[in-house]
């Protein structure tokens, strides 16, 4: 057993000693906190632009969510009103991020639609709910709600599924999309 271990370790030690392209700092330095903080503090960028720049640094979406945790519409996988509208219009509710659900809800409220200001947990609950039930269109939501055997979780605000995803005409938000 001991010989076997050395036979695996010895080539790696020799390679490291002879320098076979292994990188050590400073050559291997990646993202640094100065770059990350510069992007996070840049108020001239939209939240989505900050997400994109952080992603360009090689950060994962989950890490970016943590870095932008104080950004209401940027801390749950991002999106824009345009991406939210396209998914709602295209029957892709299960692909909506919680941030996109918040964008869409805010725009609907501004357009005189349902008066909801969705929190992060509420938007996450809606996202989880539509995914778990496979609800992609307003017809899917209406059919689900029309079946008395189906139950909407308590974590989803009462009435939001009907008012926002069935009754509200998504085209009412078009004038808010840049």
């Amino acid at each position: 057993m001991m010989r076997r271990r050395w036979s695996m370790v010895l080539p790696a030690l020799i390679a490291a000693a002879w320098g076979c392209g292994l990188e050590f700092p400073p050559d291997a330095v990646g993202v640094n906190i100065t770059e990350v903080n510069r992007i996070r503090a840049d108020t001239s960028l939209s939240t989505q632009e900050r997400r994109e720049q952080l992603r360009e640094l090689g950060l994962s979406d989950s890490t970016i969510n943590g870095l932008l945790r104080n950004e209401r519409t940027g801390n749950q996988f991002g999106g824009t009103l345009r991406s939210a509208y396209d998914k709602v219009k295209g029957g892709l509710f299960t692909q909506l991020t919680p941030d996109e659900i918040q964008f869409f809800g805010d725009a609907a409220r501004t357009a005189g639609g349902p008066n909801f200001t969705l929190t992060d947990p509420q938007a996450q609950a809606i996202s989880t709910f539509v995914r778990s039930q496979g609800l992609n269109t307003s017809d899917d939501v209406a059919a689900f709600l029309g079946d008395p055997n189906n139950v909407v979780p308590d974590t989803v605000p009462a009435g939001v599924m009907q008012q926002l995803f069935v009754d509200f005409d998504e085209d009412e938000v078009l004038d808010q999309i840049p």
Side-chain angles (χ1 to χ4, degrees):
M1 179 89 151
M2 187 60 129
R3 283 187 185 163
R4 187 174 198 188
R5 227 183 258 164
W6 275 110
S7 67
M8 293 168 51
V9 172
L10 192 56
L13 289 173
I14 292 171
W18 289 91
C20 66
L22 294 177
E23 291 184 357
F24 295 96
D27 295 337
V29 173
V31 177
N32 70 54
I33 196 69
T34 303
E35 291 174 286
V36 169
N37 284 337
R38 179 190 54 77
I39 293 168
R40 288 179 61 203
D42 190 341
T43 57
S44 71
L45 298 173
S46 70
T47 304
Q48 186 59 31
E49 290 169 329
R50 280 184 257 160
R51 285 191 73 83
E52 289 168 10
Q53 287 193 13
L54 291 167
R55 193 174 294 120
E56 288 172 7
L57 293 177
L59 300 175
S60 72
D61 282 333
S62 295
T63 299
I64 295 168
N65 288 344
L67 290 169
L68 299 178
R69 67 187 167 276
N70 295 325
E71 300 288 337
R72 179 175 167 267
T73 56
N75 61 359
Q76 292 180 298
F77 301 99
T80 63
L81 178 54
R82 164 59 69 190
S83 62
Y85 170 80
D86 289 345
K87 290 175 184 177
V88 170
K89 185 73 171 178
L92 303 170
F93 291 11
T94 59
Q95 294 180 25
L96 285 164
T97 68
D99 287 334
E100 289 170 329
I101 291 168
Q102 288 176 307
F103 274 119
F104 188 70
D106 292 351
R109 186 181 64 253
T110 299
N115 190 19
F116 293 102
T117 301
L118 300 168
T119 64
D120 287 345
Q122 291 169 331
Q124 179 62 57
I126 293 167
S127 176
T128 300
F129 171 65
V130 296
R131 282 189 176 109
S132 69
Q133 297 301 319
L135 306 174
N136 273 306
T137 66
S138 59
D139 289 342
D140 293 344
V141 174
F144 181 90
L145 297 174
D147 183 340
N149 295 316
N150 292 332
V151 177
V152 176
D154 292 341
T155 53
V156 173
V160 76
M161 297 307 297
Q162 179 71 41
Q163 293 174 42
L164 186 59
F165 295 106
V166 177
D167 298 340
F168 182 71
D169 178 2
E170 66 270 5
D171 290 338
E172 294 292 318
V173 304
L174 280 173
D175 64 339
Q176 298 177 56
I177 299 174

